[in-house]
């Protein structure tokens, strides 16, 4: 799920960056890029971290 989130996030990042660069609103473009990269990095960290995710639910019967 985290890899899918990173892929979708990359698509949203590229689409938003292209649309925002056409308007010339460079402040919002910087904001968009910083947060987009942070979201993608967080998803990839969750996907490939040692424990397999940021929040892991463990069930213990007994």
């Amino acid at each position: 799920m985290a890899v899918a989130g990173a892929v979708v996030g990359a698509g949203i990042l590229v689409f938003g960056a292209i649309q925002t660069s056409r308007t010339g609103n460079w402040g919002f473009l910087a904001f968009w890029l910083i947060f987009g990269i942070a979201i993608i990095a967080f998803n990839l960290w969750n996907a490939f971290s040692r424990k397999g995710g940021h929040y892991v639910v463990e069930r213990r019967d007994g």
Side-chain angles (χ1 to χ4, degrees):
M1 229 26 237
V3 173
V7 171
V8 171
I12 291 171
L13 179 76
V14 170
F15 178 77
I18 291 170
Q19 295 301 319
T20 305
S21 67
R22 289 181 181 173
T23 65
N25 190 349
W26 304 113
F28 185 73
L29 177 61
F31 173 81
W32 188 268
L33 291 175
I34 289 168
F35 279 95
I37 291 169
I39 290 168
I40 293 167
F42 182 73
N43 275 306
L44 290 176
W45 176 74
N46 277 331
F48 299 109
S49 68
R50 188 181 222 213
K51 293 185 178 182
H54 181 68
Y55 180 72
V56 178
V57 176
E58 294 182 14
R59 180 178 173 179
R60 297 183 187 202
D61 293 332

